[in-house]
Amino acid sequence: MNASKSEVAYQLLHTRITEGTFTPGYRLVLGTIAAELGCSVVPVREAIRRLEAEGLVSFERNVGATVAAADNALYLHTMQTLAIIEGAATALSAPFVDADQLAAARAINQAMTDLLTDFDPPRFTELNNEFHQVLYRNCPNPHILDLVQRGWNRLALMRSSSFTHIPGRARESVREHGQLLDLIEAQAPAAAIEQSARAHRTNTLNAYLAAANMPASPL
Amino acid sequence: MNASKSEVAYQLLHTRITEGTFTPGYRLVLGTIAAELGCSVVPVREAIRRLEAEGLVSFERNVGATVAAADNALYLHTMQTLAIIEGAATALSAPFVDADQLAAARAINQAMTDLLTDFDPPRFTELNNEFHQVLYRNCPNPHILDLVQRGWNRLALMRSSSFTHIPGRARESVREHGQLLDLIEAQAPAAAIEQSARAHRTNTLNAYLAAANMPASPL
DNA sequence: ATGTATGAAATCGTATACGATCCAGTGTGA
DNA sequence: TCACACTGGATCGTATACGATTTCATACAT
Protein backbone atom coordinates (compact mmCIF):
# COMPACT_ATOMS: atom_id res chain seq x y z
CA MET A 1 0.00 0.00 0.00
CA ASN A 2 1.93 2.97 -1.29
CA ALA A 3 -0.77 5.52 -2.00
CA SER A 4 -2.04 8.10 0.42
CA LYS A 5 -5.73 8.91 0.34
CA SER A 6 -5.09 12.32 -1.11
CA GLU A 7 -3.18 10.62 -3.91
CA VAL A 8 -6.08 8.29 -4.58
CA ALA A 9 -8.48 11.21 -4.63
CA TYR A 10 -6.19 13.10 -6.98
CA GLN A 11 -5.94 10.21 -9.42
CA LEU A 12 -9.67 9.61 -9.38
CA LEU A 13 -10.61 13.20 -10.04
CA HIS A 14 -7.84 13.56 -12.59
CA THR A 15 -9.04 10.67 -14.70
CA ARG A 16 -12.66 11.67 -14.38
CA ILE A 17 -11.87 15.12 -15.65
CA THR A 18 -9.49 14.18 -18.44
CA GLU A 19 -11.71 11.34 -19.60
CA GLY A 20 -14.71 13.60 -19.68
CA THR A 21 -16.88 12.09 -16.95
CA PHE A 22 -16.76 15.43 -15.20
CA THR A 23 -17.31 18.05 -17.88
CA PRO A 24 -16.32 21.72 -17.59
CA GLY A 25 -18.46 23.51 -15.05
CA TYR A 26 -19.10 20.37 -12.98
CA ARG A 27 -19.15 21.26 -9.34
CA LEU A 28 -16.71 19.41 -7.06
CA VAL A 29 -18.10 19.34 -3.53
CA LEU A 30 -15.64 18.25 -0.87
CA GLY A 31 -18.11 16.36 1.28
CA THR A 32 -19.69 14.50 -1.61
CA ILE A 33 -16.39 13.29 -3.01
CA ALA A 34 -15.12 12.38 0.43
CA ALA A 35 -18.22 10.30 1.06
CA GLU A 36 -17.85 8.50 -2.26
CA LEU A 37 -14.20 7.71 -1.51
CA GLY A 38 -14.93 6.73 2.07
CA CYS A 39 -12.48 9.23 3.49
CA SER A 40 -12.64 12.63 5.12
CA VAL A 41 -12.59 15.98 3.39
CA VAL A 42 -8.99 16.86 4.22
CA PRO A 43 -7.29 14.65 1.60
CA VAL A 44 -9.94 15.53 -0.97
CA ARG A 45 -9.24 19.18 -0.41
CA GLU A 46 -5.56 18.60 -1.00
CA ALA A 47 -6.28 16.72 -4.22
CA ILE A 48 -8.45 19.54 -5.50
CA ARG A 49 -5.80 22.14 -4.79
CA ARG A 50 -3.32 20.07 -6.78
CA LEU A 51 -5.72 19.91 -9.69
CA GLU A 52 -6.18 23.65 -9.43
CA ALA A 53 -2.40 24.16 -9.67
CA GLU A 54 -2.48 22.15 -12.89
CA GLY A 55 -5.30 24.22 -14.31
CA LEU A 56 -7.88 21.44 -14.52
CA VAL A 57 -10.02 22.89 -11.77
CA SER A 58 -10.90 26.42 -10.82
CA PHE A 59 -11.24 27.09 -7.17
CA GLU A 60 -12.72 30.01 -5.27
CA ARG A 61 -12.26 30.61 -1.58
CA ASN A 62 -15.28 29.79 0.54
CA VAL A 63 -17.21 28.93 -2.59
CA GLY A 64 -15.75 25.73 -3.92
CA ALA A 65 -14.27 24.09 -6.96
CA THR A 66 -15.57 23.41 -10.45
CA VAL A 67 -14.01 21.71 -13.43
CA ALA A 68 -12.38 24.53 -15.37
CA ALA A 69 -14.45 26.07 -18.15
CA ALA A 70 -13.20 25.65 -21.70
CA ASP A 71 -13.66 28.67 -23.97
CA ASN A 72 -11.95 29.99 -27.07
CA ALA A 73 -9.43 31.96 -25.05
CA LEU A 74 -8.39 28.93 -23.02
CA TYR A 75 -8.05 26.86 -26.15
CA LEU A 76 -5.89 29.53 -27.77
CA HIS A 77 -3.66 29.94 -24.74
CA THR A 78 -3.32 26.24 -24.16
CA MET A 79 -2.47 25.39 -27.74
CA GLN A 80 -0.07 28.31 -28.00
CA THR A 81 1.72 27.17 -24.87
CA LEU A 82 1.72 23.55 -25.93
CA ALA A 83 3.13 24.47 -29.35
CA ILE A 84 6.06 26.21 -27.69
CA ILE A 85 6.74 23.63 -25.01
CA GLU A 86 6.16 20.55 -27.11
CA GLY A 87 8.29 21.97 -29.90
CA ALA A 88 11.18 22.32 -27.49
CA ALA A 89 10.50 18.94 -25.88
CA THR A 90 10.52 17.20 -29.25
CA ALA A 91 13.74 18.89 -30.30
CA LEU A 92 15.47 18.07 -27.02
CA SER A 93 14.19 14.53 -27.21
CA ALA A 94 15.18 13.90 -30.83
CA PRO A 95 18.83 12.87 -30.30
CA PHE A 96 17.67 10.11 -27.97
CA VAL A 97 14.95 8.65 -30.19
CA ASP A 98 16.10 5.18 -31.21
CA ALA A 99 15.17 3.08 -34.23
CA ASP A 100 12.45 1.20 -32.39
CA GLN A 101 10.73 4.35 -31.31
CA LEU A 102 10.98 5.79 -34.78
CA ALA A 103 9.41 2.65 -36.21
CA ALA A 104 6.65 2.76 -33.62
CA ALA A 105 5.91 6.38 -34.48
CA ARG A 106 5.78 5.55 -38.19
CA ALA A 107 3.40 2.68 -37.48
CA ILE A 108 1.12 4.94 -35.49
CA ASN A 109 1.14 7.53 -38.22
CA GLN A 110 0.32 4.83 -40.78
CA ALA A 111 -2.64 3.78 -38.65
CA MET A 112 -3.76 7.39 -38.61
CA THR A 113 -3.46 7.53 -42.38
CA ASP A 114 -5.57 4.39 -42.72
CA LEU A 115 -8.15 5.97 -40.48
CA LEU A 116 -8.62 8.89 -42.86
CA THR A 117 -10.86 6.92 -45.18
CA ASP A 118 -13.17 5.84 -42.37
CA PHE A 119 -12.76 8.72 -39.98
CA ASP A 120 -13.18 8.10 -36.26
CA PRO A 121 -12.41 11.25 -34.29
CA PRO A 122 -11.84 9.75 -30.81
CA ARG A 123 -9.57 7.06 -32.19
CA PHE A 124 -7.69 9.58 -34.28
CA THR A 125 -7.15 11.78 -31.23
CA GLU A 126 -5.91 8.82 -29.24
CA LEU A 127 -3.42 7.81 -31.91
CA ASN A 128 -2.28 11.39 -32.23
CA ASN A 129 -1.54 11.52 -28.52
CA GLU A 130 0.45 8.31 -28.71
CA PHE A 131 2.40 9.57 -31.70
CA HIS A 132 3.54 12.74 -30.00
CA GLN A 133 4.30 11.05 -26.73
CA VAL A 134 6.76 8.75 -28.44
CA LEU A 135 8.55 11.76 -29.88
CA TYR A 136 8.95 13.82 -26.74
CA ARG A 137 9.26 11.03 -24.19
CA ASN A 138 13.07 11.06 -24.20
CA CYS A 139 13.36 14.74 -23.39
CA PRO A 140 16.08 14.96 -20.74
CA ASN A 141 14.65 18.09 -19.12
CA PRO A 142 12.09 17.05 -16.49
CA HIS A 143 10.59 20.51 -16.17
CA ILE A 144 9.73 20.61 -19.84
CA LEU A 145 8.42 17.07 -19.81
CA ASP A 146 6.17 18.00 -16.92
CA LEU A 147 4.89 21.08 -18.69
CA VAL A 148 4.06 19.14 -21.85
CA GLN A 149 2.03 16.69 -19.82
CA ARG A 150 0.24 19.56 -18.15
CA GLY A 151 -0.59 21.02 -21.53
CA TRP A 152 -2.04 17.72 -22.68
CA ASN A 153 -4.17 17.55 -19.59
CA ARG A 154 -5.55 20.99 -20.24
CA LEU A 155 -6.23 19.98 -23.80
CA ALA A 156 -8.08 16.88 -22.65
CA LEU A 157 -10.43 19.22 -20.82
CA MET A 158 -11.70 20.43 -24.17
CA ARG A 159 -12.03 17.12 -25.94
CA SER A 160 -15.78 17.00 -25.54
CA SER A 161 -16.27 20.46 -26.95
CA SER A 162 -16.15 21.40 -30.58
CA PHE A 163 -12.50 22.37 -30.44
CA THR A 164 -11.13 19.54 -32.52
CA HIS A 165 -11.42 18.22 -36.04
CA ILE A 166 -11.38 21.12 -38.42
CA PRO A 167 -12.25 19.77 -41.90
CA GLY A 168 -9.15 18.75 -43.83
CA ARG A 169 -6.84 19.20 -40.89
CA ALA A 170 -6.48 15.47 -40.23
CA ARG A 171 -4.96 14.76 -43.65
CA GLU A 172 -2.65 17.72 -43.30
CA SER A 173 -1.71 16.54 -39.84
CA VAL A 174 -0.47 13.10 -40.85
CA ARG A 175 1.59 14.69 -43.63
CA GLU A 176 3.25 16.99 -41.10
CA HIS A 177 3.89 14.00 -38.85
CA GLY A 178 5.77 12.35 -41.70
CA GLN A 179 7.91 15.41 -42.28
CA LEU A 180 8.72 15.65 -38.60
CA LEU A 181 9.76 12.00 -38.51
CA ASP A 182 12.01 12.53 -41.51
CA LEU A 183 13.77 15.39 -39.78
CA ILE A 184 14.33 13.35 -36.64
CA GLU A 185 15.58 10.34 -38.59
CA ALA A 186 17.98 12.56 -40.55
CA GLN A 187 19.20 14.03 -37.24
CA ALA A 188 18.38 17.53 -38.43
CA PRO A 189 19.49 20.49 -36.29
CA ALA A 190 17.53 20.95 -33.09
CA ALA A 191 16.15 24.28 -34.27
CA ALA A 192 14.69 22.71 -37.41
CA ILE A 193 12.98 19.98 -35.43
CA GLU A 194 11.65 22.46 -32.91
CA GLN A 195 10.32 24.66 -35.69
CA SER A 196 8.61 21.72 -37.40
CA ALA A 197 7.00 20.38 -34.22
CA ARG A 198 5.81 23.80 -33.19
CA ALA A 199 4.43 24.62 -36.61
CA HIS A 200 2.45 21.39 -36.56
CA ARG A 201 0.60 22.52 -33.43
CA THR A 202 0.34 26.10 -34.55
CA ASN A 203 -1.23 25.03 -37.82
CA THR A 204 -3.94 23.17 -35.95
CA LEU A 205 -4.51 26.16 -33.73
CA ASN A 206 -4.64 28.55 -36.65
CA ALA A 207 -7.06 26.33 -38.55
CA TYR A 208 -9.38 26.60 -35.61
CA LEU A 209 -8.84 30.33 -35.21
CA ALA A 210 -9.53 30.91 -38.89
CA ALA A 211 -12.78 28.96 -38.62
CA ALA A 212 -13.73 31.20 -35.71
CA ASN A 213 -12.74 34.37 -37.58
CA MET A 214 -9.97 35.09 -35.12
CA PRO A 215 -6.44 36.30 -35.95
CA ALA A 216 -3.68 33.72 -36.21
CA SER A 217 -1.25 33.05 -33.39
CA PRO A 218 1.89 35.20 -33.76
CA LEU A 219 4.25 32.40 -32.77
CA MET B 1 -9.24 40.43 5.69
CA ASN B 2 -9.02 38.61 2.44
CA ALA B 3 -6.27 36.08 3.03
CA SER B 4 -6.79 32.57 4.29
CA LYS B 5 -4.24 31.18 6.70
CA SER B 6 -2.91 28.78 4.12
CA GLU B 7 -2.35 31.76 1.84
CA VAL B 8 -0.44 33.59 4.56
CA ALA B 9 1.69 30.52 5.20
CA TYR B 10 2.33 30.14 1.48
CA GLN B 11 3.43 33.74 1.09
CA LEU B 12 5.66 33.59 4.14
CA LEU B 13 7.44 30.42 3.09
CA HIS B 14 7.65 31.59 -0.49
CA THR B 15 9.43 34.82 0.37
CA ARG B 16 11.69 33.13 2.87
CA ILE B 17 12.79 30.65 0.25
CA THR B 18 13.17 33.03 -2.68
CA GLU B 19 14.91 35.64 -0.53
CA GLY B 20 17.31 33.07 0.78
CA THR B 21 16.37 32.96 4.47
CA PHE B 22 15.62 29.28 4.04
CA THR B 23 18.46 27.86 1.96
CA PRO B 24 18.31 24.61 -0.02
CA GLY B 25 18.15 21.63 2.29
CA TYR B 26 16.42 23.54 5.08
CA ARG B 27 13.88 21.31 6.76
CA LEU B 28 10.29 22.56 6.87
CA VAL B 29 8.51 21.01 9.85
CA LEU B 30 4.74 21.41 9.87
CA GLY B 31 4.36 21.81 13.60
CA THR B 32 7.15 24.33 13.96
CA ILE B 33 5.88 26.57 11.19
CA ALA B 34 2.33 26.28 12.45
CA ALA B 35 3.42 27.35 15.92
CA GLU B 36 5.32 30.32 14.54
CA LEU B 37 2.30 31.43 12.53
CA GLY B 38 -0.11 30.79 15.37
CA CYS B 39 -2.24 28.42 13.33
CA SER B 40 -2.70 24.68 13.01
CA VAL B 41 -0.80 22.34 10.75
CA VAL B 42 -3.55 21.91 8.16
CA PRO B 43 -3.08 25.22 6.32
CA VAL B 44 0.70 24.93 6.59
CA ARG B 45 0.52 21.55 4.95
CA GLU B 46 -1.49 22.99 2.10
CA ALA B 47 1.02 25.79 1.63
CA ILE B 48 3.89 23.34 1.50
CA ARG B 49 2.17 21.20 -1.12
CA ARG B 50 1.68 24.29 -3.26
CA LEU B 51 5.35 25.12 -2.97
CA GLU B 52 6.14 21.56 -3.93
CA ALA B 53 4.03 21.88 -7.07
CA GLU B 54 6.07 24.95 -8.00
CA GLY B 55 9.32 23.11 -7.46
CA LEU B 56 10.60 25.22 -4.57
CA VAL B 57 10.20 22.45 -2.04
CA SER B 58 10.74 18.73 -2.21
CA PHE B 59 8.36 16.63 -0.22
CA GLU B 60 8.45 13.01 0.81
CA ARG B 61 5.53 11.11 2.21
CA ASN B 62 5.68 10.51 5.96
CA VAL B 63 9.09 12.13 6.07
CA GLY B 64 8.56 15.82 5.45
CA ALA B 65 9.57 18.72 3.30
CA THR B 66 12.87 20.45 2.64
CA VAL B 67 13.75 23.42 0.50
CA ALA B 68 14.71 21.94 -2.86
CA ALA B 69 18.37 21.27 -3.45
CA ALA B 70 20.09 23.23 -6.20
CA ASP B 71 22.63 21.36 -8.29
CA ASN B 72 24.10 21.72 -11.75
CA ALA B 73 21.36 19.65 -13.33
CA LEU B 74 18.59 21.76 -11.80
CA TYR B 75 20.31 24.93 -12.92
CA LEU B 76 20.65 23.61 -16.46
CA HIS B 77 17.05 22.46 -16.67
CA THR B 78 15.68 25.60 -15.12
CA MET B 79 17.64 27.96 -17.33
CA GLN B 80 16.87 25.91 -20.42
CA THR B 81 13.17 26.03 -19.64
CA LEU B 82 13.26 29.69 -18.75
CA ALA B 83 15.07 30.50 -21.98
CA ILE B 84 12.30 28.86 -23.98
CA ILE B 85 9.37 30.23 -22.02
CA GLU B 86 10.70 33.71 -21.48
CA GLY B 87 11.69 33.97 -25.12
CA ALA B 88 8.11 33.25 -26.11
CA ALA B 89 6.69 35.50 -23.41
CA THR B 90 8.84 38.40 -24.53
CA ALA B 91 7.89 37.93 -28.15
CA LEU B 92 4.19 37.69 -27.36
CA SER B 93 4.45 40.71 -25.09
CA ALA B 94 6.40 42.90 -27.51
CA PRO B 95 3.47 44.31 -29.54
CA PHE B 96 1.94 45.62 -26.32
CA VAL B 97 5.04 47.30 -24.90
CA ASP B 98 4.39 51.06 -24.95
CA ALA B 99 6.81 53.97 -25.04
CA ASP B 100 6.84 54.39 -21.27
CA GLN B 101 7.75 50.79 -20.67
CA LEU B 102 10.44 50.96 -23.31
CA ALA B 103 11.90 54.06 -21.65
CA ALA B 104 11.77 52.37 -18.25
CA ALA B 105 13.58 49.34 -19.61
CA ARG B 106 16.26 51.52 -21.17
CA ALA B 107 16.70 53.36 -17.88
CA ILE B 108 17.13 50.10 -16.02
CA ASN B 109 19.64 48.88 -18.53
CA GLN B 110 21.54 52.15 -18.21
CA ALA B 111 21.64 51.69 -14.46
CA MET B 112 23.03 48.22 -15.04
CA THR B 113 25.67 49.65 -17.35
CA ASP B 114 26.68 52.18 -14.70
CA LEU B 115 26.97 49.40 -12.20
CA LEU B 116 29.59 47.62 -14.31
CA THR B 117 32.39 49.89 -13.09
CA ASP B 118 31.56 49.29 -9.43
CA PHE B 119 30.08 45.84 -9.61
CA ASP B 120 27.47 44.83 -7.04
CA PRO B 121 26.11 41.35 -7.81
CA PRO B 122 22.86 41.44 -5.77
CA ARG B 123 21.92 44.85 -7.12
CA PHE B 124 22.76 43.75 -10.66
CA THR B 125 20.57 40.68 -10.29
CA GLU B 126 17.72 42.79 -8.97
CA LEU B 127 17.91 45.24 -11.86
CA ASN B 128 18.13 42.37 -14.31
CA ASN B 129 14.92 40.92 -12.90
CA GLU B 130 13.15 44.25 -13.22
CA PHE B 131 14.36 44.67 -16.77
CA HIS B 132 13.00 41.39 -17.98
CA GLN B 133 9.75 41.73 -16.11
CA VAL B 134 9.01 44.95 -17.95
CA LEU B 135 9.52 43.17 -21.24
CA TYR B 136 7.34 40.14 -20.66
CA ARG B 137 4.71 41.69 -18.41
CA ASN B 138 2.26 42.39 -21.25
CA CYS B 139 2.21 38.82 -22.51
CA PRO B 140 -1.47 38.09 -23.21
CA ASN B 141 -1.15 34.37 -22.53
CA PRO B 142 -1.66 33.77 -18.80
CA HIS B 143 -0.26 30.24 -18.90
CA ILE B 144 3.03 31.45 -20.27
CA LEU B 145 3.16 34.35 -17.86
CA ASP B 146 2.64 31.94 -15.01
CA LEU B 147 5.38 29.64 -16.24
CA VAL B 148 7.87 32.48 -16.55
CA GLN B 149 7.20 33.49 -12.97
CA ARG B 150 7.63 29.91 -11.88
CA GLY B 151 10.97 29.76 -13.66
CA TRP B 152 12.14 32.90 -11.91
CA ASN B 153 11.17 31.43 -8.58
CA ARG B 154 13.20 28.34 -9.27
CA LEU B 155 16.09 30.52 -10.27
CA ALA B 156 15.82 32.51 -7.05
CA LEU B 157 16.42 29.28 -5.23
CA MET B 158 19.96 29.24 -6.59
CA ARG B 159 20.88 32.82 -5.97
CA SER B 160 22.98 32.06 -2.93
CA SER B 161 25.00 29.40 -4.71
CA SER B 162 27.80 30.01 -7.13
CA PHE B 163 25.53 29.80 -10.15
CA THR B 164 25.63 33.44 -11.16
CA HIS B 165 28.18 35.99 -12.29
CA ILE B 166 30.47 34.35 -14.76
CA PRO B 167 33.33 36.79 -15.43
CA GLY B 168 32.58 39.08 -18.37
CA ARG B 169 28.99 37.94 -18.67
CA ALA B 170 27.54 41.09 -17.10
CA ARG B 171 28.95 43.38 -19.77
CA GLU B 172 27.81 41.03 -22.50
CA SER B 173 24.40 40.88 -20.88
CA VAL B 174 23.69 44.62 -20.96
CA ARG B 175 24.72 44.70 -24.62
CA GLU B 176 22.24 41.94 -25.42
CA HIS B 177 19.59 43.84 -23.50
CA GLY B 178 20.19 46.83 -25.75
CA GLN B 179 19.84 44.72 -28.88
CA LEU B 180 16.63 43.21 -27.60
CA LEU B 181 15.18 46.64 -26.87
CA ASP B 182 16.08 47.81 -30.37
CA LEU B 183 14.22 44.87 -31.88
CA ILE B 184 11.15 45.56 -29.79
CA GLU B 185 11.20 49.27 -30.56
CA ALA B 186 11.54 48.53 -34.27
CA GLN B 187 8.62 46.13 -34.01
CA ALA B 188 10.67 43.33 -35.45
CA PRO B 189 8.96 40.02 -36.31
CA ALA B 190 7.93 37.95 -33.31
CA ALA B 191 10.33 35.17 -34.26
CA ALA B 192 13.30 37.55 -34.23
CA ILE B 193 12.40 38.87 -30.80
CA GLU B 194 11.87 35.39 -29.46
CA GLN B 195 15.20 34.28 -30.83
CA SER B 196 17.00 37.26 -29.30
CA ALA B 197 15.41 36.90 -25.87
CA ARG B 198 16.07 33.18 -25.80
CA ALA B 199 19.65 33.54 -26.94
CA HIS B 200 20.25 36.03 -24.15
CA ARG B 201 19.35 33.42 -21.54
CA THR B 202 21.04 30.60 -23.39
CA ASN B 203 24.26 32.57 -23.54
CA THR B 204 24.24 32.97 -19.78
CA LEU B 205 23.55 29.30 -19.36
CA ASN B 206 26.26 28.28 -21.79
CA ALA B 207 28.79 30.55 -20.12
CA TYR B 208 28.14 28.69 -16.92
CA LEU B 209 28.22 25.29 -18.59
CA ALA B 210 31.51 26.12 -20.28
CA ALA B 211 33.02 27.13 -16.93
CA ALA B 212 31.89 23.77 -15.57
CA ASN B 213 33.28 21.87 -18.58
CA MET B 214 29.79 20.78 -19.60
CA PRO B 215 28.41 20.70 -23.16
CA ALA B 216 26.33 23.66 -24.32
CA SER B 217 22.55 23.60 -24.36
CA PRO B 218 21.22 22.42 -27.73
CA LEU B 219 18.43 25.00 -27.85
C1' DA C 1 -41.70 45.76 -10.63
C1' DT C 2 -37.39 46.48 -8.62
C1' DG C 3 -34.26 46.57 -5.12
C1' DT C 4 -32.91 45.45 -0.42
C1' DA C 5 -32.99 43.06 4.07
C1' DT C 6 -33.21 38.54 6.33
C1' DG C 7 -32.79 33.93 7.44
C1' DA C 8 -31.67 29.14 6.76
C1' DA C 9 -29.08 25.71 4.31
C1' DA C 10 -25.03 24.42 2.07
C1' DT C 11 -20.33 24.47 2.00
C1' DC C 12 -15.86 25.82 3.12
C1' DG C 13 -11.66 26.67 6.53
C1' DT C 14 -9.15 25.15 10.19
C1' DA C 15 -8.36 23.51 15.19
C1' DT C 16 -7.74 19.51 17.60
C1' DA C 17 -6.78 14.74 18.34
C1' DC C 18 -4.91 10.43 17.51
C1' DG C 19 -3.24 6.60 14.84
C1' DA C 20 0.47 5.50 11.34
C1' DT C 21 4.99 5.84 9.74
C1' DC C 22 9.72 6.77 9.71
C1' DC C 23 14.31 7.38 11.75
C1' DA C 24 18.06 7.22 14.92
C1' DG C 25 20.04 5.21 18.62
C1' DT C 26 20.56 1.08 21.57
C1' DG C 27 21.26 -3.53 22.54
C1' DT C 28 22.01 -8.38 21.23
C1' DG C 29 24.02 -12.32 18.88
C1' DA C 30 27.15 -14.20 15.59
C1' DT D 1 33.37 -5.71 14.60
C1' DC D 2 29.28 -6.17 12.04
C1' DA D 3 24.48 -7.16 11.00
C1' DC D 4 20.11 -6.98 12.60
C1' DA D 5 15.99 -6.54 15.59
C1' DC D 6 14.01 -3.46 18.74
C1' DT D 7 12.30 0.72 20.88
C1' DG D 8 11.27 5.63 21.79
C1' DG D 9 10.61 10.01 19.91
C1' DA D 10 9.64 12.95 16.18
C1' DT D 11 6.73 13.84 12.52
C1' DC D 12 3.31 13.05 9.22
C1' DG D 13 -1.74 11.70 7.56
C1' DT D 14 -6.37 12.11 8.25
C1' DA D 15 -10.92 11.81 10.96
C1' DT D 16 -13.87 14.57 13.35
C1' DA D 17 -15.92 18.78 14.90
C1' DC D 18 -17.32 23.33 14.74
C1' DG D 19 -17.13 28.17 13.55
C1' DA D 20 -17.10 31.23 9.31
C1' DT D 21 -18.64 32.45 4.89
C1' DT D 22 -21.39 32.33 0.91
C1' DT D 23 -25.54 31.56 -1.47
C1' DC D 24 -30.22 31.52 -2.45
C1' DA D 25 -34.95 31.87 -1.49
C1' DT D 26 -38.23 34.63 0.74
C1' DA D 27 -40.32 38.71 2.59
C1' DC D 28 -40.63 43.35 2.76
C1' DA D 29 -40.21 48.28 1.49
C1' DT D 30 -39.91 51.64 -2.14
Side-chain angles (χ1 to χ4, degrees):
Chain A
M1 164 75 159
N2 198 4
S4 65
K5 300 203 174 181
S6 79
E7 184 69 21
V8 172
Y10 170 80
Q11 293 294 347
L12 177 84
L13 294 174
H14 189 284
T15 59
R16 289 214 178 153
I17 292 170
T18 54
E19 293 187 351
T21 309
F22 290 167
T23 51
Y26 185 92
R27 179 111 188 259
L28 302 170
V29 178
L30 294 181
T32 308
I33 296 163
E36 187 190 348
L37 279 166
C39 72
S40 78
V41 299
V42 179
V44 175
R45 181 183 167 82
E46 181 170 313
I48 285 179
R49 301 293 311 234
R50 271 179 72 185
L51 291 164
E52 186 205 9
E54 290 179 20
L56 290 181
V57 156
S58 79
F59 185 89
E60 200 177 345
R61 177 169 153 74
N62 280 320
V63 174
T66 58
V67 176
D71 58 5
N72 274 349
L74 182 63
Y75 181 75
L76 166 61
H77 294 148
T78 300
M79 282 294 278
Q80 210 173 48
T81 308
L82 194 55
I84 292 159
I85 302 285
E86 196 181 79
T90 305
L92 289 171
S93 182
F96 306 101
V97 173
D98 62 29
D100 286 351
Q101 287 175 305
L102 216 56
R106 287 209 188 276
I108 294 169
N109 202 42
Q110 183 57 51
M112 291 176 78
T113 307
D114 296 343
L115 212 60
L116 287 175
T117 54
D118 185 15
F119 198 51
D120 175 3
R123 179 75 185 133
F124 191 83
T125 299
E126 194 184 342
L127 287 170
N128 190 53
N129 293 359
E130 285 178 29
F131 176 85
H132 284 284
Q133 279 174 25
V134 171
L135 295 196
Y136 68 66
R137 184 183 298 151
N138 300 59
C139 173
N141 186 323
H143 298 340
I144 292 177
L145 216 42
D146 182 60
L147 295 178
V148 175
Q149 201 51 59
R150 195 162 298 192
W152 281 87
N153 284 340
R154 279 224 176 85
L155 209 55
L157 203 58
M158 307 179 222
R159 195 172 298 156
S160 57
S161 315
S162 59
F163 288 106
T164 41
H165 310 307
I166 303 297
R169 203 27 220 156
R171 184 170 301 278
E172 196 64 25
S173 189
V174 296
R175 186 180 12 252
E176 290 168 3
H177 284 178
Q179 293 173 351
L180 180 54
L181 285 174
D182 291 343
L183 287 175
I184 292 172
E185 188 163 27
Q187 301 185 20
I193 293 171
E194 179 182 20
Q195 147 69 21
S196 173
R198 185 192 288 192
H200 173 57
R201 283 264 169 232
T202 306
N203 289 342
T204 301
L205 170 59
N206 285 337
Y208 176 77
L209 292 175
N213 282 326
M214 293 167 72
S217 169
L219 278 180
Chain B
M1 163 79 160
N2 199 4
S4 66
K5 301 203 174 181
S6 79
E7 184 68 21
V8 172
Y10 170 80
Q11 293 294 346
L12 177 84
L13 295 175
H14 189 283
T15 59
R16 289 213 179 153
I17 293 170
T18 54
E19 294 188 351
T21 309
F22 290 168
T23 51
Y26 185 91
R27 179 112 188 259
L28 301 170
V29 178
L30 293 181
T32 308
I33 296 164
E36 187 190 348
L37 279 166
C39 72
S40 78
V41 299
V42 178
V44 176
R45 182 183 166 81
E46 181 170 311
I48 285 178
R49 304 291 314 232
R50 271 178 74 186
L51 291 164
E52 186 205 9
E54 290 179 18
L56 291 182
V57 156
S58 80
F59 185 90
E60 201 178 344
R61 178 167 151 77
N62 279 321
V63 174
T66 57
V67 176
D71 58 6
N72 273 349
L74 181 62
Y75 181 76
L76 166 61
H77 295 147
T78 300
M79 282 293 280
Q80 208 173 49
T81 309
L82 193 55
I84 291 159
I85 302 286
E86 195 180 79
T90 304
L92 289 171
S93 182
F96 306 102
V97 173
D98 62 29
D100 286 351
Q101 287 175 305
L102 215 55
R106 287 210 189 274
I108 294 169
N109 203 40
Q110 184 57 51
M112 293 176 79
T113 308
D114 297 343
L115 212 60
L116 287 175
T117 53
D118 184 15
F119 198 51
D120 174 3
R123 179 74 185 134
F124 191 83
T125 300
E126 194 184 341
L127 287 170
N128 190 54
N129 293 1
E130 285 179 29
F131 177 87
H132 284 284
Q133 279 174 23
V134 171
L135 296 195
Y136 68 67
R137 184 183 300 150
N138 299 62
C139 174
N141 185 323
H143 298 341
I144 292 177
L145 216 42
D146 182 61
L147 295 178
V148 175
Q149 202 51 60
R150 198 162 295 196
W152 281 87
N153 286 339
R154 280 224 176 85
L155 209 55
L157 203 59
M158 307 178 221
R159 195 172 299 157
S160 57
S161 315
S162 58
F163 288 106
T164 41
H165 311 306
I166 301 298
R169 198 38 214 152
R171 184 171 301 278
E172 196 64 26
S173 189
V174 296
R175 186 183 10 255
E176 290 168 5
H177 284 178
Q179 293 173 350
L180 180 55
L181 284 173
D182 291 344
L183 286 175
I184 293 172
E185 188 164 26
Q187 300 184 20
I193 294 171
E194 180 182 20
Q195 148 69 20
S196 172
R198 186 193 285 192
H200 172 56
R201 281 264 168 235
T202 307
N203 289 342
T204 299
L205 171 58
N206 285 338
Y208 176 77
L209 292 175
N213 282 327
M214 294 168 71
S217 169
L219 279 182

